[in-house]
Amino acid sequence: MAPRRPSIRERVPGPEVARVLLVEHDVAARLTLQAILKASGYSVDSAASAPEAMDKLEKEQYALVLCGVRRETRQECQRVIDHARAQEYKPATAVLTTNGETKRDWERSKSSRLLIEPQEVPALLTKIADLLADRAAGRERRNMRRRRQAELVAN
């Protein structure tokens, strides 16, 4: 029998897929959001609690950390967001709200800079793409600054 020939997918590397960590306590919401994100081409890991999410943040690198929040889980979500922002690789972070929690409620707590309300799937996916683009632009700006500083030191 002839050796198996690699498929085109195995021979030609595809574009890098953004890794997303989805933190959501509610199983139905987590599975729904995970399915939407995967169907949109993202690599998604999920966590049901803050400790589980923080453990994953220590072991893997993510482009984006999405944290679902309800009034009773706000502090847990903030712990995850703070932990993500403390990572050296600086993932983008966002908060998802449901059950009537408004952007004003979250901003009043001064806990986070960004809020995504998943009311419409296309709008949600657009906001996620924008977050990832902003993160990439910020990373490139930091790299350019480092290169300039290295050039100045070398000269």
Side-chain angles (χ1 to χ4, degrees):
M1 179 150 80
R4 186 180 82 77
R5 187 169 174 210
S7 71
I8 187 72
R9 274 196 114 117
E10 294 169 326
R11 287 182 277 147
V12 180
E16 186 177 321
V17 177
R19 288 184 61 122
V20 176
L21 176 59
L22 174 62
V23 186
E24 174 59 59
H25 172 74
D26 182 82
V27 175
R30 184 173 63 248
L31 292 174
T32 301
L33 287 167
Q34 189 170 6
I36 290 168
L37 293 169
K38 282 185 176 183
S40 300
Y42 296 102
S43 172
V44 183
D45 288 343
S46 65
S49 66
E52 182 183 0
M54 291 188 290
D55 185 53
K56 288 185 180 210
L57 284 164
E58 293 298 323
K59 294 177 181 174
E60 301 290 338
Q61 288 193 10
Y62 296 94
L64 174 63
V65 177
L66 290 176
C67 189
V69 68
R70 286 167 181 58
R71 281 172 177 56
E72 63 273 11
T73 60
R74 181 179 286 177
Q75 286 180 328
E76 254 195 56
C77 183
Q78 189 58 51
R79 284 180 40 217
V80 171
I81 296 294
D82 290 344
H83 193 76
R85 289 179 178 163
Q87 299 302 305
E88 187 177 320
Y89 61 90
K90 304 292 181 209
T93 57
V95 175
L96 293 158
T97 65
T98 57
N99 296 341
E101 178 137 29
T102 66
K103 185 174 184 176
R104 179 172 285 153
D105 293 337
W106 185 260
E107 287 175 341
R108 244 185 255 140
S109 73
K110 297 183 179 172
S111 297
S112 184
R113 294 177 290 166
L114 181 63
L115 180 80
I116 295 174
E117 298 172 4
Q119 298 160 350
E120 283 186 40
V121 171
L124 173 65
L125 295 174
T126 298
K127 288 180 180 183
I128 288 171
D130 290 346
L131 277 170
L132 292 170
D134 290 347
R135 176 184 180 264
R139 177 175 274 173
E140 187 57 31
R141 282 191 300 273
R142 285 189 299 275
N143 288 339
M144 288 174 56
R145 273 195 300 267
R146 287 183 193 126
R147 284 193 293 266
R148 277 193 225 123
Q149 288 173 347
E151 288 173 3
L152 289 174
V153 170
N155 292 331

